[in-house]
Amino acid sequence: MDGIDVNAPMVAMTFDDGPDVGGEITERILDTLEKYGCLATFFQLGDRAELQPDQMKRMADAGHEIGCHTYNHEHYGDEVTAADITDADDSIEEVCGVRPTAFRSPGGMTTDLIRETCANEDMALYYWSVDSRDWESRDAGSIINMVESYSFDGGIILLHNIYDSTAEAVETLVPWFLSEGYQLVTVSQMIQAKTGEPPIPGMQYYDYETWD
């Protein structure tokens, strides 16, 4: 929480599905965040983490929050098993030395088993309040427009660190947020700053004031 002004506006930029194969897109996003001294949360896949340990280590060393998005994103909803989550946590911790502290359900489809497993793993869950739809448009201009139009203080922004267009959009969005007076923080930092309490394991947050 060092350096965070709890009275100033903030958003949490979050990235799913990476690291990208080859790591170039993730590196580009990390370069932008480093340039402006900002933090984000990366909900990564266990099998991708195993392929790209250098990018995972860079995320962890920079202080970004490491989140879990299951091992390989092949299961959704009731198909997700406890092993899909714990195997991913194990793989991510092995490659970067940090065990995930946050979880996002594939497709946002959360079940009681997912909640229970996350609670046992000491992870809160995070949905999103701003969908950049980068997975659909694959266009930097469209991504920028969606995020700038719908972001708000305390919002959670959904992005993916597997598209070149997203990396391009981030290069514009990060300085834009700063120019608008926003702080870019991790999801856990935002919940702590806005509520005065750390995130609750097993609870799913949509923004800083909406959870179940």
Side-chain angles (χ1 to χ4, degrees):
M1 298 298 293
D2 290 348
I4 296 176
D5 182 354
V6 299
N7 297 310
M10 63 189 73
V11 293
M13 297 182 77
T14 68
F15 298 89
D16 285 9
D17 294 354
D20 61 294
V21 176
E24 292 86 357
I25 295 169
T26 299
E27 288 286 346
R28 187 174 172 185
I29 291 170
L30 291 172
D31 286 345
T32 300
L33 294 169
E34 180 180 350
K35 177 180 178 180
Y36 293 97
C38 299
L39 295 178
T41 302
F42 290 83
F43 294 99
Q44 306 297 271
L45 304 178
D47 62 348
R48 291 287 186 89
E50 292 168 356
L51 291 173
Q52 304 296 151
D54 290 344
Q55 284 69 39
M56 294 301 303
K57 290 174 184 174
R58 184 179 176 190
M59 285 177 205
D61 290 346
H64 299 295
E65 185 164 20
I66 308 298
C68 172
H69 198 39
T70 72
Y71 184 76
N72 56 21
H73 210 300
E74 291 184 356
H75 297 155
Y76 295 80
D78 290 335
E79 296 178 349
V80 175
T81 67
D84 286 327
I85 299 170
T86 58
D87 287 353
D89 285 349
D90 291 343
S91 292
I92 290 169
E93 183 177 22
E94 183 173 349
V95 300
C96 72
V98 175
R99 197 163 185 84
T101 53
F103 181 83
R104 175 170 284 150
S105 299
M109 301 165 63
T110 298
T111 65
D112 289 341
L113 182 145
I114 291 174
R115 289 177 183 274
E116 180 180 352
T117 305
C118 287
N120 291 336
E121 288 285 291
D122 201 26
M123 297 188 294
L125 299 83
Y126 297 89
Y127 196 76
W128 55 85
S129 46
V130 180
D131 187 351
S132 70
R133 303 191 75 82
D134 58 346
W135 52 272
E136 181 179 53
S137 70
R138 312 289 180 91
D139 176 77
S142 178
I143 296 165
I144 293 165
N145 182 63
M146 289 292 290
V147 173
E148 291 186 355
S149 296
Y150 294 102
S151 290
F152 58 91
D153 181 20
I156 298 172
I157 302 166
L158 173 63
L159 297 154
H160 297 78
N161 59 315
I162 55 173
Y163 306 124
D164 285 311
S165 52
T166 300
E168 181 181 350
V170 167
E171 291 170 350
T172 294
L173 287 169
V174 169
W176 178 82
F177 273 119
L178 297 178
S179 71
E180 293 293 309
Y182 285 91
Q183 302 167 96
L184 293 173
V185 298
T186 71
V187 284
S188 291
Q189 288 174 326
M190 188 169 72
I191 299 304
Q192 174 81 46
K194 291 292 191 181
T195 69
E197 300 291 340
I200 301 170
M203 191 75 74
Q204 180 166 254
Y205 295 84
Y206 297 79
D207 56 41
Y208 84 94
E209 61 181 357
T210 308
W211 58 85
D212 60 26

